[in-house]
Amino acid sequence: MSGHSHFGTVDLDRIDLAILKVLQSDNKMPQRRIAEVVNLSAPAVQRRIKRLEDLGVIAANTAVVDPAKVGHAITLFVEVEMESERAAMFDAAKRTFAATPEVQQCYYVTGEADFILVVVVRSMAEYEALTRRLFFENNNVKRFRTFVSMDRVKVGLTVPLP
């Protein structure tokens, strides 16, 4: 079990990958059960999971909440084009988007748009108020374009593993 490689990726053996596959499908599976699946002792599995967390391979252990079940029934995708190419403006935008609870995901992207946001809100009125705060009151936002999700066909953060 070695550490970081020179590309920012982490060297993982087949047992690490097997553990990650199990955890991606069932994060609450007891370590003794994972140990049976990957043919290791429970303490060895515990050490490997700790190492994967320490290396940042396992970035978080969280519950995935269905937004509609907690009243956030509307999911929107927003392309944001910035006015200025200055790094300070992009850094400020990144901080603002990251600190906004309704912004579930934010990506800095290539192409016409500078950012793609995934936003969850209770109502279009709530989204309209959010656009005022994030876009209309921000002189560095040139334009934004909103796409409303009609159906959540697939949602997940599972990474395909070899």
Side-chain angles (χ1 to χ4, degrees):
M1 290 196 306
S2 56
H4 292 276
S5 79
H6 57 336
F7 291 112
T9 59
V10 175
D11 296 323
L12 303 172
D13 64 19
R14 64 178 181 73
I15 295 171
D16 290 330
L17 293 171
I19 291 170
L20 288 172
K21 281 181 184 171
V22 169
L23 291 175
Q24 283 194 120
S25 66
D26 181 4
N27 193 10
K28 291 178 87 171
M29 183 182 288
Q31 290 182 355
R32 68 180 183 284
R33 180 76 192 93
I34 297 170
E36 291 168 17
V37 171
V38 301
N39 215 3
L40 274 185
S41 69
V45 166
Q46 186 178 7
R47 281 192 302 275
R48 282 177 178 258
I49 291 172
K50 168 103 174 68
R51 175 182 162 271
L52 292 167
E53 289 171 341
D54 291 346
L55 290 172
V57 174
I58 296 174
N61 291 292
T62 61
V64 178
V65 177
D66 181 338
K69 299 255 194 292
V70 293
H72 286 76
I74 302 171
T75 300
L76 309 112
F77 300 86
V78 188
E79 290 181 349
V80 183
E81 193 179 336
M82 305 305 281
E83 197 67 65
S84 165
E85 294 291 322
R86 296 204 338 263
M89 293 296 195
F90 280 92
D91 291 342
K94 288 177 185 178
R95 283 192 302 276
T96 298
F97 298 148
T100 304
E102 297 89 345
V103 176
Q104 195 178 50
Q105 297 178 52
C106 171
Y107 299 92
Y108 178 45
V109 298
T110 61
E112 253 179 73
D114 295 303
F115 294 96
I116 303 274
L117 309 179
V118 178
V119 175
V120 290
V121 291
R122 288 183 170 82
S123 67
M124 287 310 288
E126 186 177 309
Y127 178 63
E128 198 265 337
L130 182 70
T131 63
R132 287 177 191 270
R133 261 190 354 264
L134 285 183
F135 311 132
F136 291 112
E137 293 171 8
N138 183 340
N139 293 335
N140 199 39
V141 172
K142 185 184 210 168
R143 70 175 61 92
F144 68 96
R145 198 162 70 149
T146 302
F147 302 85
V148 180
S149 169
M150 293 175 13
D151 186 14
R152 286 166 48 108
V153 178
K154 179 181 180 181
V155 177
L157 294 173
T158 303
V159 177
L161 298 170

